[in-house]
């Protein structure tokens, strides 16, 4: 077989290099142009895939009017983003800025044990002593590590400053997702054709797996975490908890990485019982406990299949997505990384089955030859 150099003349090679160079330049240039819009397009695609079953149901109820159904879903989503999400986001930004200021000055404000705790029956004095010891120990540790925490003030302020841009990206993403809904079948066909050129034998399987993973993570992880954080933030605001928005944002992070919201809710509930009357504290405690168990109740309902993606993959997706794309990356990161993980594992399983099948076939042929001998 002749080599490529033998088949092509010098002029052909020059033309081939020029064409490849121009194609590479076009690809790089295109990427540089669309790079600022990558988070918006990615989040729009996630929203379109996650809410497409709801869109299909609404379109069917309206008698096959996809544009009207898309407009209704877009308005509902915009109402959520502009309303409670923005209200809670502004509170979270204020909390982050205050935390950044305290880190910058090296004076982190902590809540000392309230005297009211001593009057509680049985556990009151013990809880007061435990709180005081913890308060004193944490303050002593913070005084030692405060100089090392000060460099974190800059990134925190940068994150707070990106909140406005992130909100705008969310709004644009919702509009773009609304335009994508009616074109769902054609986009799926285009994705199927693209995958067919890469993995012809597994294109249909990979396409279904990607869609199922996006829905599982977007609805069962991101969606539940957002609902949980919003309700927790409402409870914190009603209880007049200091830095309510920041605490709700921490609930969001803990819920996304599958740690759970009770790490924040339990201290808040204890604080409520020290600062509020019994009736108010009891009502808020019941509400926050229900919020804490919300993920346990909702996940089986909204996740069509169990999430097999390891928690560490979601955690890395949260951190990496936030560092790469800001607030929007907080939600895009775990979804994209989960899809990549699931498809990689499916590809590995496919390769293993193919190798096992080839090994079994070789064994059978060897057995047949032995029998013939």
């Amino acid at each position: 077989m002749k080599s490529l150099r033998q088949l092509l003349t010098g002029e052909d090679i020059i033309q081939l290099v020029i064409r490849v160079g121009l194609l590479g330049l076009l690809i790089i240039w295109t990427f540089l142009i669309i790079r600022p819009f990558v988070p918006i397009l990615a989040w729009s695609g996630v929203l379109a895939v996650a809410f497409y079953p709801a869109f299909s149901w609404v379109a069917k109820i309206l008698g096959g009017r996809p544009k009207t159904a898309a407009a209704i879903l877009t308005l509902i989503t915009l109402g959520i983003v502009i309303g409670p999400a923005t209200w809670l986001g502004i509170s979270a930004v204020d909390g982050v800025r205050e935390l950044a200021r305290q880190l910058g000055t090296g004076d982190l404000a902590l809540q000392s044990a309230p005297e009211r705790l001593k009057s509680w029956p049985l556990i009151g004095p013990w809880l007061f002593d435990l709180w005081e010891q913890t308060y004193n120990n944490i303050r002593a540790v913070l005084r030692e590590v405060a100089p090392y925490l000060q460099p974190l003030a800059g990134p925190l302020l940068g994150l707070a400053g990106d909140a406005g841009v992130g909100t705008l990206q969310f709004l644009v993403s919702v509009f773009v997702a609304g335009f994508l809904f009616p074109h769902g079948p054609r986009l799926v066909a285009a994705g199927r054709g693209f995958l067919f050129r890469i993995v012809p034998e597994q294109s249909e399987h990979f396409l279904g797996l990607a869609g199922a993973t996006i829905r599982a993570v977007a609805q069962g992880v991101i969606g539940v975490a957002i609902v949980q954080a919003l309700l927790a933030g409402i409870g914190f605001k009603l209880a007049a908890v200091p830095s309510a928005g920041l605490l709700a944002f921490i609930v969001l992070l803990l819920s996304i990485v599958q740690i759970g919201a009770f790490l924040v809710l339990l201290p808040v509930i204890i604080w409520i019982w020290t600062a509020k009357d019994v009736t108010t504290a009891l009502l808020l405690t019941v509400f926050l406990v229900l919020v804490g168990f919300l993920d346990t109740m909702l996940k089986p309902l909204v996740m069509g299949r169990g999430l097999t993606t390891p928690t560490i993959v979601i955690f890395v997706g949260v951190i990496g997505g936030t560092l790469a794309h800001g607030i929007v990356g907080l939600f895009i990161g775990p979804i994209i990384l989960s899809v990549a993980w699931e498809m990689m594992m499916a590809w590995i399983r496919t390769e293993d089955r193919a190798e096992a099948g080839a090994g079994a076939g070789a064994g059978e042929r060897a057995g047949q030859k032995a029998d013939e001998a």
Side-chain angles (χ1 to χ4, degrees):
M1 183 178 293
K2 294 183 178 180
S3 64
L4 181 63
R5 195 169 184 179
Q6 292 173 327
L7 293 174
L8 298 177
T9 64
E11 184 178 350
D12 292 335
I13 292 176
I14 293 174
Q15 291 182 359
L16 178 61
V17 170
I18 292 175
R19 290 172 183 172
V20 172
L22 290 175
L23 179 61
L25 178 62
L26 180 62
I27 293 174
I28 294 173
W29 207 340
T30 302
F31 174 75
L32 291 175
I33 292 173
I34 67 171
R35 185 172 60 177
F37 304 98
V38 168
I40 295 175
L41 295 175
W43 187 235
S44 300
V46 167
L47 291 176
V49 173
F51 290 109
Y52 193 79
F55 161 75
S56 300
W57 179 77
V58 173
K60 185 177 179 180
I61 293 297
L62 295 175
R65 297 178 180 176
K67 294 183 178 180
T68 305
I72 292 174
L73 280 180
T74 301
L75 290 176
I76 292 174
T77 310
L78 283 175
I80 295 174
V81 173
I82 296 175
T86 301
W87 164 68
L88 189 59
I90 292 173
S91 300
V93 169
D94 291 339
V96 170
R97 286 175 177 165
E98 178 61 22
L99 178 60
R101 185 194 64 78
Q102 293 176 9
L103 287 174
T105 58
D107 183 23
L108 289 172
L110 297 174
Q111 178 70 40
S112 59
E115 294 292 331
R116 186 176 177 181
L117 270 180
K118 293 181 179 179
S119 62
W120 287 15
L122 298 179
I123 64 170
W126 171 81
L127 189 58
F128 179 85
D129 293 337
L130 178 63
W131 192 321
E132 262 314 288
Q133 291 177 8
T134 305
Y135 170 77
N136 293 328
N137 291 335
I138 291 178
R139 281 188 64 87
V141 171
L142 287 177
R143 279 196 296 268
E144 296 294 330
V145 302
Y148 303 100
L149 294 178
Q150 289 179 1
L152 295 176
L156 284 176
L157 286 175
L159 183 63
D162 290 339
V165 178
T167 303
L168 181 61
Q169 289 178 328
F170 272 112
L171 294 176
V172 176
S173 298
V174 171
F175 276 111
V176 175
F179 285 106
L180 293 179
F181 281 130
H183 305 287
R186 280 186 288 179
L187 294 174
V188 171
R192 184 182 293 110
F194 177 76
L195 286 175
F196 182 79
R197 292 183 176 273
I198 301 175
V199 281
E201 299 82 5
Q202 298 292 325
S203 59
E204 199 69 33
H205 171 63
F206 281 177
L207 185 66
L209 179 63
T213 304
I214 289 174
R215 290 192 183 96
V217 180
Q219 297 175 4
V221 178
I222 305 296
V224 172
I226 291 174
V227 173
Q228 201 169 22
L230 285 175
L231 292 178
I234 292 173
F236 297 160
K237 282 289 187 180
L238 292 176
V241 177
S243 302
L246 179 58
L247 291 175
F249 183 72
I250 296 174
V251 169
L252 176 67
L253 291 178
L254 294 176
S255 300
I256 291 177
V257 300
Q258 309 295 291
I259 294 177
F262 276 109
L263 199 62
V264 174
L265 296 180
L266 287 178
V268 170
I269 289 173
I270 294 174
W271 180 88
I272 288 173
W273 279 94
T274 64
K276 304 294 179 182
D277 60 88
V278 175
T279 303
T280 303
L282 182 61
L283 292 175
L284 289 172
T285 298
V286 172
F287 176 76
L288 292 177
V289 169
L290 291 176
V291 170
F293 285 109
L294 191 65
D295 57 343
T296 306
M297 295 183 289
L298 286 182
K299 282 182 181 178
L301 299 177
V302 298
M303 293 178 69
R305 66 177 186 81
L307 183 64
T308 59
T309 305
T311 303
I312 186 63
V313 174
I314 296 177
F315 179 77
V316 173
V318 169
I319 302 300
T322 305
L323 293 176
H325 302 297
I327 296 296
V328 177
L330 171 66
F331 307 105
I332 297 175
I335 295 175
I336 300 300
L337 213 57
S338 297
V339 172
W341 173 268
E342 294 291 341
M343 295 185 72
M344 181 184 70
M345 297 306 296
W347 178 74
I348 291 174
R349 288 191 294 266
T350 302
E351 291 292 322
D352 290 342
R353 285 196 298 267
E355 291 177 2
E364 291 178 0
R365 287 192 297 272
Q368 292 176 357
K369 290 181 179 179
D371 292 339
E372 292 174 358

